[in-house]
Amino acid sequence: GESVGLHLPTLSVQEGDNSIINCAYSNSASDYFIWYKQESGKGPQFIIDIRSNMDKRQGQRVTVLLNKTVKHLSLQIAATQPGDSAVYFCAENIPPGQFYFGTGTSLTVIP
Amino acid sequence: GAVVSQHPSWVICKSGTSVKIECRSLDFQATTMFWYRQFPKQSLMLMATSNEGSKATYEQGVEKDKFLINHASLTLSTLTVTSAHPEDSSFYICSATSGSRSSYEQYFGPGTRLTVT
């Protein structure tokens, strides 16, 4: 379902370190997940997606892991850069096609 | 490709007036459009789903008479906030799916910031 009125958790990492952002989802019927990046005052930007029949997917500097047993999703960013500073949301698709966003995590990269 | 635009990007209006926000898919036909609302430091909350030529499906708790959605063509959906009040001040974001590559892939607009005074 939808996140409700929660303030964003924050994560601070040193430039060059790896970042791990976590997300818990609640609906076992969710069959598709997306990670989005949102910079201040802008719309969400697609990063990477994964279907429920997979447990890992890699992109450029990013990896998404899906653990359906505990309904957990994570986004790993390798060699984090200052331009990665943003708010990151996971979104789950609940068939037949409703997208719900997680609470989000604010990532700050320290130069 | 797959660009979604919103207009206006920022609007300030007086309490009691109505505001229309447009969402356009610029280079593809959007079979379905979604409207989200986002309060500061919070996540996106799905308000409604609209399919071209049919009535929008609203999420629980969203007043359909207050947030009027019209999806008149495959490239345009509008959200009208009627009789706006300060508590309606928020960031409104639309997204669209084309259904051509993946029925799940959504393309987001840049958002519209509404401030009601």
Side-chain angles (χ1 to χ4, degrees):
Chain A
E2 306 172 56
S3 65
V4 180
L6 300 175
H7 288 285
L8 298 172
T10 59
L11 173 66
S12 295
V13 297
Q14 288 289 139
E15 180 179 359
D17 287 353
N18 297 334
S19 303
I20 299 177
I21 300 171
N22 297 303
C23 177
Y25 64 96
S26 57
N27 198 315
S28 57
S30 298
D31 62 354
Y32 179 64
F33 305 86
I34 303 179
W35 278 101
Y36 289 96
K37 173 185 179 182
Q38 186 179 30
E39 296 174 326
S40 181
K42 298 182 179 179
Q45 177 187 355
F46 174 93
I47 301 174
I48 191 168
D49 60 358
I50 188 168
R51 294 194 182 276
S52 60
N53 60 354
M54 304 170 67
D55 53 24
K56 180 179 179 179
R57 190 154 190 241
Q58 288 185 290
Q60 188 177 10
R61 280 202 309 119
V62 294
T63 301
V64 55
L65 299 177
L66 175 63
N67 185 330
K68 294 183 288 295
T69 303
V70 295
K71 298 190 186 70
H72 183 269
L73 198 67
S74 69
L75 175 70
Q76 300 177 4
I77 305 174
T80 315
Q81 303 167 1
D84 295 327
S85 293
V87 177
Y88 290 82
F89 295 98
C90 67
E92 59 180 314
N93 176 74
I94 302 171
Q98 306 298 92
F99 263 95
Y100 294 100
F101 282 72
T103 307
T105 297
S106 176
L107 175 66
T108 301
V109 181
I110 303 166
Chain B
V3 177
V4 175
S5 70
Q6 284 184 239
H7 178 82
S9 56
W10 192 5
V11 55
I12 302 172
C13 70
K14 291 187 177 180
S15 186
T17 61
S18 296
V19 175
K20 180 185 284 189
I21 302 170
E22 294 185 348
C23 177
R24 293 181 184 273
S25 57
L26 299 185
D27 51 2
F28 67 100
Q29 293 186 325
T31 53
T32 304
M33 285 185 168
F34 303 85
W35 285 96
Y36 295 86
R37 179 168 52 182
Q38 185 179 33
F39 292 106
K41 297 191 182 302
Q42 294 186 20
S43 186
L44 284 76
M45 296 178 64
L46 180 65
M47 299 175 68
T49 303
S50 74
N51 294 293
E52 184 265 338
S54 60
K55 289 184 178 180
T57 301
Y58 290 80
E59 293 297 298
Q60 192 172 7
V62 178
E63 300 174 59
K64 60 181 66 176
D65 293 331
K66 181 170 182 61
F67 298 99
L68 301 178
I69 292 172
N70 188 312
H71 194 161
S73 75
L74 284 171
T75 60
L76 174 64
S77 176
T78 60
L79 168 69
T80 302
V81 183
T82 62
S83 186
H85 291 284
E87 57 266 29
D88 298 323
S89 298
S90 188
F91 195 50
Y92 292 86
I93 304 172
C94 73
S95 70
T97 60
S98 67
S100 57
R101 290 166 53 193
S102 165
S103 61
Y104 296 148
E105 193 163 353
Q106 290 194 23
Y107 305 99
F108 283 84
T112 296
R113 185 165 302 283
L114 170 64
T115 302
V116 185
T117 60

